[in-house]
Amino acid sequence: MYTFNPGPSQVYPELRGYLQDAFDEGWLSAPHRGERFTGLMRQTVADLKTKLNIPQDYTVFFLSSATECWEVLAQSLTPTKSFHLYSGAFGEKWFEYAKALRPASTALQFGLDELPEVYTLPLPADDTDLVCITQNETSNATQLRDGFILNLYNRLGNALLAVDATSSLGGIQMKYIKADIWYGSVQKCFGLPAGLGIMVLSPRAVARFRQINERSHYNSLVAQYEKMLNFQTTHTPNVLGIYLLSRVLQDREPIKAVHQHLLDRATKLYDYFDQATQLTPLVTNPETRSTTVIGLQGPPALIDEVKRRAKEQGLQLGNGYGSWKSGSLRIANFPAIPDAAYEQLVQFFAREFS
C-alpha cells in the first residue's frame, strides 16, 4: 500500500537495508560519547549542510521532534514574548504553547487563501524576542514563499525570525539566510520514521541565546550548543535516527533536484484537480498553495467514500485536520513516495470520480 498521509508518512524502501546495516554495524548499542558516534554526527551535519544548501556558519541541533523545538525556543530565546503569524492549526498550536510559557506572547491569524501584506502587518514592539511563522502549514496545505519570508525578515529589527518548516524541510529549497531559526522533523520529507527533530540556527540566533544564557533545562540551547561544538548532545540522543538520516542524505540528490521534482508533481496534481468536478483544491489561491501537501475539499460523505475506495485500491489518503477535518483530505507530496504512486492515484480519481 502507498500512503499519502502527511506524517508519519511513507518511508524510503531502502530503510529495510539501512536498519539491517545499523544492527550489523553495532549502531543500536553504540556509546554516544565515543569517537565513532561523534564522527557520525560530524558527517551527518556536513551532509545536511551540503545537500540542503544550509550556510556553513549556521548551527545544527538534533532534538526529539518539532514540538520540542517550540519548548526550546520559548525557554532559551524568548525571555519576554513572541509574536505568531499563522493560518492553520499547527501555527496556532505553536502560539498556544509559547503563550503557556510566555503569557505576553501575541498572534495574528490570516486566511488560507490570504497572503498577508508584510509592509502593513502590525508587527509588535521592540520587546518582542521572536517572530514566528509556519512556512508550510500541514493542516491546511498552505505555504509561505521565499519572497514573503525575505520581506518579513527585513522588517524585524531586533527580533529573530523563527520558521516552522516541518513538512517542507528536506523537500523544498529554502533560503536559510533569510531567517534565524528553521526546524522540522524527519517523518515527512526525509522519508524516515518519527522520533528525530532538526533545528538550524543562524549566527545571530546563537549569539542571542548565549547572551540570554538560559541554563535551567536539560535541553537549554546554551548547553546543547556547548555539546555540539564536539558533536555531542546534552542527553542520550536518537542514535538510530541520526544514523538513518545520514544514510538517506548520502543516497539522495541535492535539494535543488528534489525541489524541482516535487514542484513538477505538485503542478500536475493541482492542474488535474483544478479541472475536477467533485473534489477541488482546498486552497484556491495558487500563491498560497503548498508544494509538499495538497489539500482537497468536498462534502464529508464524499470525502469518506473517496478515502474508503482509495484504500481498497492500495492508496491511503491523509485525513483532513482541525476545522477542515470532515470536509477535506490531504495528499503528501514527499520525496519518498514514488512517481508510480501518483500515477496510480490520478488514474484512481479519473476512473472512480471523474
Side-chain angles (χ1 to χ4, degrees), residues 74-88:
Q75 290 169 175
S76 295
L77 274 169
T78 315
T80 305
K81 63 180 180 180
S82 53
F83 172 72
H84 298 253
L85 186 66
Y86 66 87
S87 69

Side-chain angles (χ1 to χ4, degrees), residues 111-150:
L112 75 170
D113 287 307
E114 179 185 357
L115 185 63
E117 176 52 63
V118 171
Y119 298 104
T120 61
L121 279 175
L123 293 180
D126 292 339
D127 60 345
T128 296
D129 306 299
L130 291 184
V131 171
C132 304
I133 62 172
T134 303
Q135 188 271 337
N136 202 82
E137 176 53 73
T138 317
S139 70
N140 61 16
T142 58
Q143 182 175 305
L144 295 173
R145 288 172 167 75
D146 285 339
F148 177 88
I149 296 173
L150 168 62

Side-chain angles (χ1 to χ4, degrees), residues 167-305:
S167 52
S168 53
L169 187 68
I172 299 300
Q173 186 170 17
M174 292 177 283
K175 296 180 180 178
Y176 293 96
I177 62 171
K178 301 308 179 185
D180 299 289
I181 300 144
W182 302 80
Y183 66 84
S185 302
V186 299
Q187 74 270 21
K188 298 181 187 292
C189 285
F190 288 100
L192 291 171
L196 185 67
I198 301 168
M199 187 161 62
V200 181
L201 269 65
S202 72
R204 191 166 82 120
V206 170
R208 185 70 57 82
F209 72 65
R210 294 183 71 186
Q211 177 188 11
I212 295 169
N213 199 32
E214 184 276 314
R215 294 177 178 268
S216 301
H217 305 86
Y218 86 95
N219 55 4
S220 296
L221 278 175
V222 173
Q224 290 199 64
Y225 176 74
E226 291 171 351
K227 285 294 186 183
M228 276 301 293
L229 292 175
N230 295 314
F231 295 97
Q232 294 187 4
T233 58
T234 57
H235 49 282
T236 304
N238 183 348
V239 176
L240 177 59
I242 294 169
Y243 172 82
L244 295 176
L245 175 62
S246 177
R247 292 295 301 271
V248 163
L249 291 169
Q250 290 171 21
D251 291 345
R252 276 184 32 159
E253 294 181 298
I255 192 63
K256 183 177 181 180
V258 174
H259 177 116
Q260 188 59 53
H261 186 207
L262 298 189
L263 183 61
D264 291 344
R265 285 202 312 208
T267 300
K268 291 178 181 178
L269 286 171
Y270 281 122
D271 285 347
Y272 176 82
F273 287 109
D274 276 335
Q275 304 302 317
T277 57
Q278 297 193 58
L279 289 176
T280 58
L282 177 63
V283 182
T284 60
N285 182 359
E287 292 302 311
T288 64
R289 286 175 174 172
S290 168
T291 301
T292 54
V293 181
I294 286 82
L296 301 177
Q297 62 180 334
L302 175 62
I303 294 292
D304 290 341
E305 178 71 6

Side-chain angles (χ1 to χ4, degrees), residues 4-9 138 167 187-188 293 317-319 330-332 334:
F4 297 91
N5 190 44
S9 60
T138 317
S167 52
Q187 74 270 21
K188 298 181 187 292
V293 181
L317 303 177
N319 295 324
R330 295 173 296 164
I331 299 171
F334 296 158

